[in-house]
Amino acid sequence: MSPTIYMIILSSLATGTIITMTSHHWLMAWVGLELNTLAIVPIISTMHHPRFTEAATKYFLTQAAASALILFSSMTNAWNTGSWDITQPLTSPSYILLTMALAMKLGLAPLHFWLPEVIQGSTMTTAFIITTWQKIAPMSLIFLTMNNLSTSVFLLMGLLSSLVGGWGGLNQTQTRKIMAYSSIAHLGWMATISSIMTNILIMNLLIYLIMTTSVFLSLIISKSKTIQDTTSTWTLSPTLTIIMLLSLLSLGGLPPLTGFIPKWLIMEELILQNFNLLISMMAASSLLSLFFYLRLTYTTTLTLSPNTTQTKFKWRFYPNTRTMFIATPATISIFLLPMTPLILL
């Protein structure tokens, strides 16, 4: 794909998200989501291979179905109430359809099945876009309509997502699928807090985007597609190895790293609301997620896999990808915990 076309498509992708985030009319929000979907499909299918075509088709079908549900939800609501305003109360059928559509857009369990398949069937850069930028538009709709959506449904979907994200990633060997299940688990934590405190939801989303950016940039620079690929990262750059180690542990939510902030605040808030059983199950599921992060850190920094003399190590050539972009997200995803009081203000 030529750079000009690629820039036009990326601009359309950004425009679609911004239209959805800034709209107060359901039709404009739908237009933004459609523009967003149509812009990402050619990015997924850039490589001429059946796997990429399959991923693009799966992504298009699920997102088109979710967009159709959002349009149908808003039309039935306008039919009953006469209002197209996003912030106005929704009728009962409309909010059920909207909840299903937003869960499908985000990849929340039990509507998560497309996410690992699509991410595995796309390039590392495309997987990075799907797990970060593509979550912003649906999450902004959740933020705008939260007063009209069911708290108990989102708590249940959040618990399911964190469990699925933990169990699903345990036996994976592909780093993209591990990041997909990591995304499902993190979105589960966001879903549980979304109906209770939206400011923690926004903070959690921002921290998730920064941490995922840091990990994905590490994987892109080191060209690590499988767990075995990570074992030779140390030959490429010892500094990158340390950054990957700390970013993965932060993504797992270990103190004193940044990833501990959202888990800590969400647990505190849910305990205040007397959801003790729910938060106990979610904390246990986060240990499952932590296991596969620890496995990645172990292979990256602490061990060498059995190698033969024919094993190809990575040479320290001048990197093709720009490494300067990793500095800011890596720093934020490691050192932000002491800034928690300022974030909350």
Side-chain angles (χ1 to χ4, degrees), residues 213-257:
T213 302
S214 176
V215 173
F216 259 111
L217 288 177
S218 304
L219 294 172
I220 290 166
I221 292 166
S222 62
K223 296 184 175 65
S224 302
K225 292 182 180 179
T226 62
I227 289 181
Q228 191 172 0
D229 290 343
T230 60
T231 57
S232 54
T233 310
W234 62 273
T235 59
L236 182 70
S237 167
T239 313
L240 183 66
T241 310
I242 298 298
I243 288 173
M244 201 188 290
L245 160 77
L246 292 171
S247 299
L248 283 164
L249 291 178
S250 183
L251 205 56
L254 280 185
L257 302 167

Side-chain angles (χ1 to χ4, degrees), residues 64-100:
S67 294
L69 278 175
I70 287 174
L71 187 61
F72 188 52
S73 161
S74 55
M75 284 173 68
T76 51
N77 188 61
W79 181 272
N80 288 314
T81 63
S83 170
W84 284 90
D85 195 341
I86 290 180
T87 54
Q88 292 302 310
L90 295 167
T91 57
S92 185
S94 297
Y95 93 73
I96 293 167
L97 287 172
L98 182 65
T99 305
M100 285 173 60

